[in-house]
């Protein structure tokens, strides 16, 4: 992977937004698990960046956010890292390599990412930490509590991607 200053700058900006956006949501009393604010810049990164950069953004953002703000909390930070890396990788793969459309890249990536979240929750919480794992609770959080965030991802992200792609990527 060749280092490109434009990709590096976009990645750095998305990491910063991924740390600041959840802080803004929490300052207004809006919960992260409901609106999924950290997901937004990582998903956008999947569209705008090559897969390697996108995956780094997906890994670094929740980790730095945890170190700076304690959000997401331990051990959720690790399950979010797995989920966000998955979104970034598959969106970049589908959109940039296979040239699928925005929704054809976004929707399967969201489903794959949530499957990875379920698996990583089971591995980290149930197996490594040894706490009781509730598939029902994880599914409820991902698909019911997170429904407003899913709606934001399906409505706002395609608009942002089209705007940003035309401004940042195409020269």
């Amino acid at each position: 992977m060749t280092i490109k200053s434009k990709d590096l700058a976009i990645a750095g900006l998305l990491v910063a937004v991924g740390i600041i956006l959840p802080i803004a949501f929490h300052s207004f009393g809006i919960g992260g698990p409901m609106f999924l604010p950290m997901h937004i810049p990582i998903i956008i990164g999947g569209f705008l960046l090559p897969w390697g950069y996108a995956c780094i953004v997906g890994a670094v953002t929740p980790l730095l956010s945890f170190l700076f703000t304690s959000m997401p909390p331990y051990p959720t930070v690790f399950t979010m890292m797995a989920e966000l890396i998955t979104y970034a990788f598959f969106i970049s793969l589908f959109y940039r390599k296979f040239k699928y459309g925005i929704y054809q890249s976004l929707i399967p990536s969201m489903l794959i990412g949530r499957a990875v979240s379920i698996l990583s929750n089971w591995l980290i919480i149930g197996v490594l930490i040894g706490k009781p794992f509730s598939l029902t609770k994880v599914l409820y959080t991902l698909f019911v509590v997170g429904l407003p965030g899913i709606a934001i991802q399906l409505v706002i992200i395609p608009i942002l991607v089209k705007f940003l792609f035309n401004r940042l990527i195409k020269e």
Side-chain angles (χ1 to χ4, degrees):
M1 175 170 71
T2 321
I3 296 177
K4 293 184 179 176
S5 58
K6 182 187 264 186
D7 291 336
L8 195 57
I10 292 169
L13 178 64
L14 291 171
V15 169
V17 170
I19 294 169
I20 293 168
L21 202 54
I23 294 169
F25 271 73
H26 284 284
S27 69
F28 289 107
I30 304 171
M34 182 180 290
F35 290 98
L36 310 170
M38 192 179 292
H39 290 61
I40 296 167
I42 281 66
I43 291 172
I44 290 171
F47 286 105
L48 300 181
L49 297 168
W51 71 269
Y53 284 93
C55 289
I56 291 169
V57 171
V60 167
T61 303
L63 185 60
L64 288 177
S65 181
F66 171 74
L67 293 173
F68 295 149
T69 69
S70 298
M71 295 182 302
Y74 171 84
T76 305
V77 62
F78 299 112
T79 62
M80 277 191 68
M81 287 172 69
E83 179 183 19
L84 296 179
I85 290 167
T86 303
Y87 291 150
F89 175 77
F90 281 101
I91 289 171
S92 185
L93 181 73
F94 293 153
Y95 189 73
R96 296 176 58 92
K97 181 159 178 67
F98 297 145
K99 308 295 183 200
Y100 293 173
I102 291 175
Y103 284 106
Q104 292 82 5
S105 302
L106 181 60
I107 293 170
S109 298
M110 289 169 65
L111 292 171
I112 296 166
R114 280 169 175 77
V116 167
S117 179
I118 294 164
L119 179 63
S120 63
N121 269 284
W122 173 73
L123 282 172
I124 293 170
I125 294 168
V127 175
L128 294 176
I129 296 175
K131 289 186 177 180
F133 172 77
S134 170
L135 179 60
T136 305
K137 183 179 176 184
V138 172
L139 288 172
Y140 181 79
T141 301
L142 289 174
F143 292 101
V144 178
V145 174
L147 199 55
I150 292 169
I152 288 170
Q153 291 169 8
L154 292 172
V155 173
I156 306 259
I157 287 180
I159 295 166
L160 286 172
V161 165
K162 287 177 185 175
F163 175 79
L164 292 171
F165 195 85
N166 289 328
R167 300 292 187 278
L168 297 174
I169 304 302
K170 289 186 178 178
E171 295 186 28

